[in-house]
């Protein structure tokens, strides 16, 4: 089975070679756990190796994401096959209409068309919480079943960013997306002793992959991520 | 009393010889605890030894389940008496009609007919949460009483997969299915120290069996599972 | 005051001689804690010593209970004065009518008549949760007060099985039945270290008895139960 | 200020001489913590020393309470100035009418008249939870303010038994009666190590008394209670 | 900035000289933590030093409060400029009318007039929970904003007693009064080992004061309070 | 990228040079954690270095804030380009009209105009909870998305104070503002042993900054803050 590399040093081995192509992956964590950066870096590095990527930002605007990524060494986006859709801009400009739209449908149609036309290999949606704030689902699990089914039917690997508020320790998603997803990567701040905090990543679930179960310390340097086995206190 | 072997090395002994035939078994756990794989392997190995099995997938599609199982060494499904019903496909094709159906009734009729005609010895439903997302019960415990009663009336042993969201530590089911079931196997990730995570299985309940009560470490290798007594930290 | 023996080796002494005759006893615990077996064994052993018993099963059917008990060495039920009422069978046959009945009233009338006619010394209802799923009470505590009052007015000792879902640590009942009952026996799985699980029993409350307060390890062998003082880790 | 002795050996000293006369005292605890016995013993022993007592039982019947107390050595109630009102009997006989009554009002009128006529020095109501199951208050805190105000206006010391369900650790009352009461005695089961359970009592609050704050082990022997400083594990 | 002394020995230093004049202070704690006594003693001691005080009791009556304070050595209230308003008496006498009144408004008008006429320097309201039981606010935070604003506009320092039920560990107020208040003093029972309980006080917040952050043991002797640094176990 | 200095000694380095200009920052903490003082000091010190600041107080009045800041050494506000808007005053004067206004809109218009006219570099809103008590949002996350989008569109750096009630350990915001914000600073009281309490600050999130993750002890002296690495017990 083909694999999409994460280009996180050490992590592709821990995943048993990378993420199985075509999977729908949930990237989940509390605020400040670098969900956007990590996801973006996966798309960025794959595009640098010849893939095509689509990053859909529902809340942060184009300039902010681009600038943030450039800071971290992910530059020259305009020259790359990495397309950044800024839904936040559309929302801010069309504030009045936004409540009447079925945004899940809009997003589905948009992704469908763009993947068909542009042959994107990787798609990211940042974030599910932003999507839910735009559109209130009648029966979340059923509608999400169809959304996940649609994403899986694409010829692309998808990343969905899930925001978990601080203080709800252990929850990974709001509507059990963790069961619908093919893979779940959780980012977590570990308090070390009373003062230090370390960022860690764990692959909770990855269908069709022999992955490691434990936590890895996650470091970022110039836009490239590395994992190491954390040393316990 | 006749027993259905799980073919998990070491576990049939821990169950006092296997699962009593005709039982309705709950397989429960948080995401990534291999509920699908374990359940499928029980059917697969029984079919290899001459039984007939029906695996009903309400969310994952046929190709994904089949592919995942093939990866793990469970191949040649097409040549075996292991039938895989892909409800997810029906759902994706008939998206509009799905909300109007009493899926619990549909499932009951389908299983009844197939077991009568095909003489299935083992039936698995993956998952209860998916079923509940399709059909909202008026009085869950009463309707489930009748569903469990129906399953018990069949000449088959049934496995129901129950998904417990991360962060609800200790819950085994949504509507107390744990009391209606004849047996409950719980799969759980144990955090070992600060970084390692070990998968374990425990038989919480097994009517008419002298089973062991504690946790076992669960390992999978080429589609065959083994348990061992975990070494504490 | 007369006592009903539990015939659990060592436990009658811990209860100060047994359960006071005429008491309404709550048997409570999470799934797999042998509530049904323990309660049945109390009736079985009393009947073997000359008493008459009525076991009312609201969810498990006659054959299953009988078979399970036979497995554990409690055989020849048909030749004994131990009557097993299978409400589950009635429910499965009359599925349509069940919602319209006031099952609490039905149960009350049935028990009243049978105890009057057959002079039962012990009555067990398995379980309260099943009863509540059949009939939704307007004012639970008031209706239960009258139900408990009725049971106490009988010339029999009653056992009510209360199911507590896993994950609700410490709760003993849903509608404070623990206050209405004359006695409460709680069954509990203790995790010993990281892997072992031990079944224990504790008498939380027993009116008119000088009972011990602590936990006892509970073992079952060939249908006869024994308690011992657990050795702490 | 005059004091009502509890006749619990060692406890009157811990209360700074006993309970101030005229106080409304909350006796609170989970099931099996001997709230009824302790409260009854306070009335019993005061009556033996010349006082007059009224014990109002809303759920347990006359014979059961009397029998239980006799077991514990509190005998000859019929020859004493300790009147036991059995509301449970009235309730069981007039099941139909009970829902239409304002039981808080009924209770208030009854107590008022009896205290005026019989000059009771001590009154106990067992229990508040039973009272609430009979009569649903519109604005609990306001109605209870008036009920407590009424009790305080009597020439008697009152004891109100409050039942706290297991599993709600730390709560003392349902509608903040703990703030309205002049004194609060809490009874609690302490798990000692993994197997032992010890009953303890603590005076959380006692207006107009210099009382000790900590827990005491509570023992009962032949109807007389003693406290000791518990030895920690 | 002028300061109101608490006359709690050692505490005024811990507050950086006392409570800033004109502040609205929340005195919060579970039952039995001496909120009333402590607050009353602050008024009493200030009045002894020449200030004028108004103590508004919404639940406890005049005689009880006066008696309790006299017990603790705070005597001769009638000769002092410490006025005690007994709302509880008004409530008990006018039970019927009480539900129709906007008590927050009534209280506001009363305090306004009395402070203007009598020039009170200190005002205490005992308690907020009693006030809320009398009058249900539409939008608590907005109405309380105006109530706090009104109190701050007075030429007086105000003390509001807030009752926190046992078992809600860590909460300080019901409607976030802790944010509206200028200062918050929390009283807390600390369980020391398994049997002892120590009363402690902490200044969580005091605008415009350099106060200490930690807990102090609080002792009372003859109506005068002292704090000490608690010795840890 | 330009940075706004916090002028908290040691903290700008921990933030990787300060707060990125134009960011919307959430300042969050329980009562008494100096949120107002810290935020005000950031504005004050920036203004002293040539910037222009607008501090909007929704609950505390002008004199109180000004006085409190003067106490801490932040004086001569009237001579500085630090404008303090006292919404609390407007609210107290126009109590009747306040409920009919869309205060989020009012605030948006006000800030927009003032920033355009006065060229403010820093804006602070104290607090979000006060804003929510004035105006109940239909769909909080959507309305806040637009509010945050508006703030980000300004040529200013914004600080929003978020109040977290004691007892809700770990929550940072009410409507997931923590995800919408570009940066989150959390202030927290740490209980050290049983009696001491230390104030600490942590940067949970700061987009476009390489900031440290851990906790720092926060000290204040004459209006200037300093951080140090806390020494663990």
């Amino acid at each position: 089975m083909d694999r999409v590399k994460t280009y996180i040093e050490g992590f592709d081995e821990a995943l048993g070679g990378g993420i199985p192509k075509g999977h729908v992956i949930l990237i989940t964590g509390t605020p400040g756990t670098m969900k956007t950066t990590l996801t973006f870096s996966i798309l960025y590095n794959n595009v640098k190796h010849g893939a095509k990527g689509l990053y859909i930002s529902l809340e942060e605007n184009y300039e902010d994401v681009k600038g943030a990524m450039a800071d971290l060494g992910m530059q020259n986006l305009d020259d790359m096959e990495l397309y950044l859709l800024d839904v936040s801009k559309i929302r801010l400009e069309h504030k009045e209409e936004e409540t009447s739209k079925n945004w899940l449908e809009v997003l589905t149609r948009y992704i469908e068309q763009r993947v068909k036309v542009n042959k994107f290999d990787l798609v990211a949606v940042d974030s599910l919480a932003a999507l839910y704030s735009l559109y209130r689902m009648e029966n979340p699990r059923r509608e999400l079943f169809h959304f996940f089914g649609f994403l899986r039917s694409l010829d692309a690997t998808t990343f969905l960013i899930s925001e978990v508020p601080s203080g709800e320790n252990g929850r990974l998603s709001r509507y059990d997306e963790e069961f619908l997803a093919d893979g779940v990567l959780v980012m977590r701040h570990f308090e070390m002793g009373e003062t230090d905090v370390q960022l860690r990543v764990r692959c909770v679930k990855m269908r069709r992959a022999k992955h490691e179960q434990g936590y890895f310390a996650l470091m970022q340097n110039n836009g490239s991520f590395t994992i190491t086995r954390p040393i316990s206190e």
Side-chain angles (χ1 to χ4, degrees), chain A:
Chain A
M1 177 162 225
D2 283 349
R3 305 270 159 173
V4 171
K5 286 206 181 312
T6 62
Y7 295 100
I8 299 166
E9 205 183 312
F11 199 48
D12 288 319
E13 292 70 41
L15 293 175
I19 292 166
K21 244 186 196 162
H23 265 25
V24 179
I25 305 297
L26 206 67
I27 309 280
T28 185
T30 52
T33 50
M34 306 197 84
K35 297 178 296 299
T36 290
T37 309
L38 185 105
T39 306
F40 197 91
S41 86
I42 296 176
L43 268 68
Y44 179 85
N45 283 297
N46 274 281
V47 168
K48 269 184 35 183
H49 287 81
K52 289 178 153 194
L54 170 65
Y55 196 96
I56 300 171
S57 178
L58 289 157
E59 278 183 347
E60 266 196 280
N61 71 44
Y62 183 79
E63 282 75 24
D64 285 348
V65 175
K66 219 176 95 175
M69 297 309 135
D71 290 355
L72 298 170
M74 295 184 275
Q75 289 162 326
N76 305 319
L77 296 183
D78 297 334
D79 309 336
M80 295 173 70
E81 293 275 23
L82 179 43
Y83 190 82
L84 213 156
L85 175 72
D86 183 351
V87 178
S88 84
K89 202 173 149 194
I90 304 175
R91 292 178 62 189
L92 288 170
E93 285 168 359
H94 301 268
K95 195 176 159 184
E96 305 314 318
E97 302 157 50
E98 81 171 358
T99 62
S100 56
K101 286 190 182 171
N102 177 338
W103 282 91
L104 189 60
E105 190 65 24
V106 171
L107 194 66
T108 301
R109 286 311 130 239
Y110 178 85
I111 295 174
E112 187 173 37
Q113 194 183 345
R114 296 302 306 262
V115 170
K116 200 185 292 176
V117 173
N118 301 74
K119 314 282 180 206
F120 287 116
D121 302 294
L122 299 102
V123 177
V125 177
D126 186 356
S127 66
L128 288 178
L131 179 62
Y132 303 154
S133 77
L134 281 167
Y135 170 61
R136 197 154 303 181
M137 293 176 284
E138 286 279 310
N139 182 335
R141 179 122 184 198
R142 187 164 57 212
E143 298 185 42
L144 289 173
F145 164 75
H146 289 294
F147 183 55
F148 277 70
F150 155 73
L151 294 173
R152 220 174 268 121
S153 76
L154 297 172
D155 246 348
T157 305
T158 319
F159 298 85
L160 304 174
I161 293 181
S162 171
E163 296 175 339
V164 184
S166 301
E168 293 193 15
N169 242 332
R171 292 234 30 144
L172 299 180
S173 61
R174 199 182 321 181
Y175 301 118
D176 299 354
E177 298 89 325
E178 56 197 275
F179 289 108
L180 291 167
D182 297 306
V184 177
L185 302 185
V186 60
M187 326 279 285
R188 191 167 142 190
H189 281 136
F190 271 76
E191 302 205 358
M192 316 261 296
E194 286 228 335
T195 59
D196 281 327
V197 173
Q198 189 184 61
L199 182 61
R200 297 191 185 161
V201 65
R202 181 186 160 210
C203 175
V204 172
K205 170 184 181 178
M206 190 60 70
R207 284 176 182 155
R208 312 195 65 170
K210 276 190 199 172
H211 62 92
E212 306 215 11
Q213 289 283 354
Y215 282 97
F216 295 94
L218 182 67
M219 276 136 313
Q220 189 266 134
N221 200 11
N222 277 324
S224 70
F225 284 91
T226 318
I227 59 164
T228 58
R229 283 253 160 237
I231 312 294
S232 238
E233 304 161 58

